[in-house]
């Protein structure tokens, strides 16, 4: 039976701020293998829920080591798909406009060719909400409290994390 738990936004943001300019040695750094942005965001999300989903490479969200991880742990479009469609254990979320996002939520950037290319996590937001007032943490061009408006993108697509689930016996 699946049980709901809240997403700990504070812990996710705290992790993002701590590791924005460095690398947690528990995780492989994919910087030279296509980028580390989604790996970093996944680590932050995991800090906020503590539950991985071991449903397999294509459908799960997990990291054991560099060679044993899900596509969604390190792939931008795969993380999006997992968060928006997950009905099992671990995190789940919904698409949301920037105005509805909160610290600890994910923003993914789409380039002018329509390709999702970068994942970031929100560290804080000032009012009124706009790309100028949304601050993020990221890897692959490491950033801590960087304004979203300083990126060059065609669209910024938000994922609001709703919560997580775990399997109870």
């Amino acid at each position: 039976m699946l049980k709901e738990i809240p997403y700990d936004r504070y812990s996710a943001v705290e992790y993002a701020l701590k590791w924005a300019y460095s690398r947690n040695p528990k995780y492989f750094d994919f910087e030279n293998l296509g980028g580390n942005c989604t790996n970093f965001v996944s680590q932050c999300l995991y800090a906020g829920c503590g539950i991985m989903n071991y449903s397999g490479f294509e459908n799960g969200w997990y990291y054991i080591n560099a060679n044993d991880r899900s596509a969604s742990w390190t792939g931008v479009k795969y993380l999006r798909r997992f968060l928006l469609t997950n009905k099992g254990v671990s995190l789940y979320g919904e698409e949301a406009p920037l105005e509805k996002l909160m610290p600890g939520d994910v923003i993914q950037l789409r380039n002018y060719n329509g390709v999702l290319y970068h994942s970031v996590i929100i560290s804080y937001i000032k009012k009124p909400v706009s790309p100028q007032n949304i601050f993020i943490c990221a890897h692959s061009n490491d950033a801590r409290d960087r304004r979203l408006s300083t990126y060059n993108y065609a669209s910024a697509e938000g994922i609001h994390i709703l919560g997580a689930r775990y399997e109870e016996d």
Side-chain angles (χ1 to χ4, degrees), residues 84-102:
L84 297 178
T85 64
N86 180 33
K87 304 287 187 225
V89 298
S90 195
L91 293 168
Y92 62 97
E94 64 184 6
E95 291 184 73
L98 297 181
E99 301 77 32
K100 301 289 185 189
L101 297 177
M102 302 167 62

Side-chain angles (χ1 to χ4, degrees), residues 9 80 83-84 92-109 116 120 122 125 129 131 134 148 155-162:
R9 296 174 178 284
R80 179 176 196 79
L83 291 173
L84 297 178
Y92 62 97
E94 64 184 6
E95 291 184 73
L98 297 181
E99 301 77 32
K100 301 289 185 189
L101 297 177
M102 302 167 62
D105 283 337
V106 176
I107 296 175
Q108 294 185 311
L109 305 180
L116 286 169
V120 301
I122 299 172
I125 300 172
V129 178
I134 296 175
L148 180 61
S155 65
E157 302 178 11
I159 302 174
H160 175 62
I161 305 301
L162 296 169

Side-chain angles (χ1 to χ4, degrees), residues 64-156:
I64 296 170
N65 60 50
N67 298 312
D68 191 358
R69 69 186 191 283
S70 65
S72 60
W73 190 271
T74 54
V76 179
K77 69 180 181 180
Y78 302 105
L79 177 62
R80 179 176 196 79
R81 184 182 73 198
F82 177 80
L83 291 173
L84 297 178
T85 64
N86 180 33
K87 304 287 187 225
V89 298
S90 195
L91 293 168
Y92 62 97
E94 64 184 6
E95 291 184 73
L98 297 181
E99 301 77 32
K100 301 289 185 189
L101 297 177
M102 302 167 62
D105 283 337
V106 176
I107 296 175
Q108 294 185 311
L109 305 180
R110 194 175 292 276
N111 67 21
Y112 293 94
N113 294 322
V115 176
L116 286 169
Y117 72 93
H118 195 41
S119 299
V120 301
I121 190 160
I122 299 172
S123 51
Y124 73 95
I125 300 172
K126 289 174 28 178
K127 301 287 184 191
V129 178
S130 70
Q132 179 73 12
N133 290 333
I134 296 175
F135 296 81
I136 59 88
C137 292
H139 278 184
S140 300
N141 293 328
D142 294 359
R144 185 178 195 266
D145 293 335
R146 178 178 172 177
R147 290 178 190 272
L148 180 61
S149 61
T150 64
Y151 285 91
N152 182 22
Y153 55 87
S155 65

Side-chain angles (χ1 to χ4, degrees), residues 9-75:
R9 296 174 178 284
Y10 177 83
S11 293
V13 171
E14 183 177 55
Y15 184 98
L17 293 169
K18 177 178 180 177
W19 294 102
Y21 289 131
S22 60
R23 302 296 187 265
N24 184 336
K26 293 180 184 176
Y27 299 94
F28 185 79
D29 180 2
F30 294 91
E31 194 69 39
N32 295 320
L33 296 172
N36 200 56
C37 66
T38 305
N39 177 38
F40 173 67
V41 168
S42 285
Q43 292 171 42
C44 298
L45 293 171
Y46 181 67
C49 77
I51 303 167
M52 293 184 187
N53 179 312
Y54 298 96
S55 298
F57 180 77
E58 289 286 325
N59 299 316
W61 178 72
Y62 65 91
Y63 178 94
I64 296 170
N65 60 50
N67 298 312
D68 191 358
R69 69 186 191 283
S70 65
S72 60
W73 190 271
T74 54

